[in-house]
Amino acid sequence: MKITIIGTGYVGLVSGACFADVGNTVLCLDVNDEKIAMLKNGVIPIHEPGLDTMVERNAAAGRLLFSTSYDEAMAHAECVFLAVGTPPDEDGSADLTHILAAARSIGQRIETPVVVVDKSTVPVGTADKVRAAIQGELDKRGSTVAFSVVSNPEFLKEGAAIEDFMRPDRIVVGSDDASATRLMRQLYAPFSRNHEKLVEMDVRSAELTKYAANAMLATRISFMNELANLAEVLGADIEAVRHGMGLDPRIGSQFLYAGMGYGGSCFPKDVKALVKTGADHEQTLHILEATERVNDNQKNVLFKKLSRFYGGVEHLNGKTVALWGLSFKPNTDDMREAPSLILLKELFAAGCRVRAYDPVASSEALRVLERDHGAARVEEMLTIASSATAAVDNADVLVLVTEWKEFRAPDFRHLAQTLRGKAIFDGRNIYDPAEVAEAGLAYEGIGRVSRKAA
C-alpha cells in the first residue's frame, strides 16, 4: 500500500518506519526543511531504541521516503495519516492548528479517493473538523473526490515504541465507512497475525479511548504517589504495599510505582485536554483534576527531602548535588514536562551547584534549560558530566531522577567514600534502603522509611 504520513515527530516517524518495514511504501512529509534534510541523510532527530537502523534499512530499500512537498505527498497516497503535533493551549485544550492546516492542504490537492487517518492525539469531535476542513477545500475547487476520515489513536510508549507498534496489544479503529475499515484491516493485517487485535468502534469513541487510557494510567501513578506520601508518615513501605496490591488480578502490577511524578509528551497534555473537554461540556472531571494536582505537587517531593536533610533551604546554598538522569523516563531524550526540570529550578534558586549525567538527554536538557533560565545562569549553576561516576566527583549528595539501567547497581561503598554528605535521594525507589545504609550512606526514597548510614 502507498501511505503518506504528515508529520515526522515521534508518532509519525515510528509509524512510517514500521509500516515500511512490513512492505508498504511510505512517504513521510514534514514542512520543516531542516528535519527532512536530516532524515534524508540518515540522521534521526529523536532517540528511540532501534529506530535508526529501521529507518536506514527501509530508506535504502526505497520503501521509506521523505519530502517537504504536499503535491508529491498527495500524489503518492492511498491512505494519509495525520501525525502532527497537538500542543496544549494556555487553557489546556489541544491546539488543532497544525492538524486542520494539514487537512486543508489535503483537500486542496487530492484527485483520487483517499482515507485520512487521525493518528495524532486529538479531542473528541476532531474527525468532524478534519472532514469539514477537507470538504471545504474540495467545495472551493468544485471537486467531488470521495474521502473518509478514520480515527486510529496511537498507544506507543517512548523507549519501546517499535515493539509496541510491531506487536500491539490492541489496534483501535474508529470509522463510519465500511470500505475505510476494510482498508485499515488490510493495512494492519501484518501486525495481527497471531490473533485479531483490531477493535472497531465509532469515530468519537475511538478519539475518547486514547484520552481515557492515558488518563487512567496517569491516575494510577498519582494515586500511588499520594499513597506513598501517606505510607512515609505512617512508617510503612510503599514498595511492599505496591507488591501486595499488584498481586490482585483486578488491580495488576503495572503503573503502580511511586516516584517524582509523570512527565513526557502524553500524560500531562492529555489529562489537561480531557479536563478541558469536560469543562466545555459542563462536566467537571474531579478525579482528573486531582490527578493533575497530585502530580504537580509530587515533582517537589525530592527537593523538600533534600531541604529537610540539611535542616532548611537556607543551608543548601553552596552545596553540590549530583543528578543521575534528566529525561522524563529511561530510553528517551524527551525532556517535555520532565520532573528533573522542576527539581533543577528549585536547586538553582537555593544556590546549589548541580553536576548532572544522562546517557542520552544531556543536549536536549541543556537546550530546554538555557531557554528557560538563560545560558549564563545555566553555565554558572550546572555542569554536564561525562559519566555517572564523574557526576558524583566532588558532590555532596546524589539524587536519582531517571531510572536508566546503568544506574541500577552502583558501587555504594565507593559512593560513600566520594559523597561528602553521604546520602542518596532515590526518586524512583530502585535501591534497597538496607543495602545503601549498610554501605555507609543515608537513604531517602519515595514513600519509604528513611535510613541513616550504618
Side-chain angles (χ1 to χ4, degrees), residues 152-210:
N152 173 220
E154 54 88 12
F155 298 98
L156 306 179
K157 298 187 295 292
E158 291 191 42
I162 290 175
E163 177 70 15
D164 286 346
F165 199 103
M166 300 301 279
R167 296 177 178 83
D169 47 24
R170 81 282 206 195
I171 301 162
V172 173
V173 173
S175 172
D176 55 11
D177 183 326
S179 62
T181 302
R182 284 195 298 273
L183 183 142
M184 295 298 286
R185 283 195 173 277
Q186 176 187 349
L187 180 60
Y188 278 109
F191 309 99
S192 300
R193 296 189 65 184
N194 293 333
H195 62 272
E196 182 55 62
K197 298 176 182 177
L198 193 142
V199 181
E200 293 181 37
M201 59 185 72
D202 63 274
V203 175
R204 287 185 169 234
S205 295
E207 291 172 331
L208 183 56
T209 296
K210 167 64 175 179

Side-chain angles (χ1 to χ4, degrees), residues 298-352:
Q298 196 67 16
K299 292 181 179 181
N300 299 310
V301 165
L302 273 192
F303 181 76
K304 290 178 180 178
K305 288 177 177 290
L306 193 58
S307 299
R308 284 199 301 270
F309 180 80
Y310 277 108
V313 175
E314 64 275 12
H315 299 298
L316 289 174
N317 186 43
K319 293 291 188 291
T320 299
V321 177
L323 220 65
W324 280 359
L326 292 164
S327 57
F328 88 93
K329 63 178 289 188
N331 299 319
T332 180
D333 61 351
D334 198 337
M335 290 295 299
R336 286 174 287 186
E337 302 283 346
S340 65
L341 296 176
I342 302 298
L343 178 58
L344 284 165
K345 180 180 179 180
E346 293 174 315
L347 292 173
F348 291 171
C352 293

Side-chain angles (χ1 to χ4, degrees), residues 20-54:
D21 210 50
V22 296
N24 300 291
T25 303
V26 181
L27 187 151
C28 290
L29 170 75
D30 203 294
V31 295
N32 186 322
D33 293 337
E34 183 180 356
K35 185 182 287 189
I36 291 299
M38 289 172 61
L39 289 166
K40 285 183 175 181
N41 289 322
V43 179
I44 309 301
I46 59 175
H47 178 83
E48 178 61 35
L51 183 59
D52 51 354
T53 55
M54 182 177 278

Side-chain angles (χ1 to χ4, degrees), residues 137-153:
E137 295 301 324
L138 290 174
D139 291 344
K140 290 179 185 178
R141 295 166 51 198
S143 173
T144 58
V145 175
F147 71 96
S148 299
V149 178
V150 171
S151 176
N152 173 220

